[in-house]
Amino acid sequence: AQSVAQPEDQVNVAEGNPLTVKCTYSVSGNPYLFWYVQYPNRGLQFLLKYITGDNLVKGSYGFEAEFNKSQTSFHLKKPSALVSDSALYFCAVRSFPGGYQKVTFGTGTKLQVIP
Amino acid sequence: NAGVTQTPKFQVLKTGQSMTLQCAQDMNHEYMSWYRQDPGMGLRLIHYSVGAGITDQGEVPNGYNVSRSTTEDFPLRLLSAAPSQTSVYFCASSYSEEYQETQYFGPGTRLLVL
């Protein structure tokens, strides 16, 4: 069975410092990986995805993620955190071939950026 | 475009009551789905639809029904509400699955079952 692990319930980082939100996955076949962000009382918003190609994926709001096949990881990163980045972040994985029923979300990591 | 809209935003039900959560999208997306979000459990797929007239079960379908009579609408019905169905419900849509399209989420419906 496929799975996603977000080992940290919360990550605290000072404004201006680099941030990393960790995600590891387990899936049979080729992984398609996603990061979503959820602001309070809002739905999830897409940040970025890895399908194939370059292991470093750039997304919205200055975020990027690095796909590491050997470590089965897809960590979300940003060089300089903003207070407005404070939100809940979800990693998701699906395998190919596979449909919506094959999407698995992580439990989420709350990012707190401290002014 | 309004994107994905959901109504109501918040609802309180008594055990045994029924209700319908509405979801609509104006992006002509073929794929729509319903998730529930519970603390510490991420999002879990309830039901999904790959087009008008076609629906299928997700990970946690028990206690919920869906139908898809039009491309735009995908209502979720709770037949007899139970406290275990207290959750935040999200509807999502995407154009297709072939090229791993990302999903667009609605703002959510918070449901409290007493």
Side-chain angles (χ1 to χ4, degrees), chain B residues 42-101:
Chain B
L43 274 74
R44 293 181 291 169
L45 182 64
I46 304 171
H47 286 284
Y48 65 98
S49 170
V50 300
I54 306 171
T55 64
D56 206 345
Q57 296 181 351
E59 180 184 358
V60 288
N62 292 341
Y64 308 94
N65 276 358
V66 292
S67 60
R68 184 96 179 271
S69 57
T70 67
T71 299
E72 293 78 19
D73 300 299
F74 191 44
L76 177 72
R77 297 182 184 85
L78 279 70
L79 306 175
S80 179
S84 61
Q85 293 179 304
T86 293
S87 187
V88 181
Y89 292 85
F90 289 101
C91 179
S93 73
S94 71
Y95 181 67
S96 75
E97 74 170 347
E98 181 177 359
Y99 297 105
Q100 308 306 314
E101 290 288 331

Side-chain angles (χ1 to χ4, degrees), chain A residues 10-65:
Chain A
Q10 182 160 336
V11 170
N12 296 323
V13 63
E15 186 177 23
N17 283 2
L19 69 88
T20 299
V21 182
K22 296 179 180 179
C23 171
T24 58
Y25 67 92
S26 174
V27 67
S28 59
N30 296 318
Y32 289 162
L33 295 150
F34 303 82
W35 275 102
Y36 288 85
V37 60
Q38 184 181 30
Y39 297 101
N41 300 314
R42 302 285 295 277
L44 277 69
Q45 298 178 31
F46 169 77
L47 273 182
L48 51 80
K49 66 182 176 184
Y50 171 83
I51 305 298
T52 187
D54 194 348
N55 289 344
L56 185 63
V57 179
K58 294 187 182 297
S60 306
Y61 312 121
F63 283 93
E64 58 188 27

Side-chain angles (χ1 to χ4, degrees), chain B residues 9-20:
Chain B
K9 291 184 178 180
F10 181 70
Q11 183 71 46
V12 179
L13 289 178
K14 294 181 179 179
T15 297
Q17 288 185 316
S18 63
M19 78 161 294
T20 299

Side-chain angles (χ1 to χ4, degrees), chain A residues 11-20 78-86 111-115:
Chain A
V11 170
N12 296 323
V13 63
E15 186 177 23
N17 283 2
L19 69 88
T20 299
K78 187 174 183 181
S80 179
L82 300 173
V83 173
S84 58
D85 293 329
S86 298
L111 174 66
Q112 188 72 38
V113 181
I114 304 165

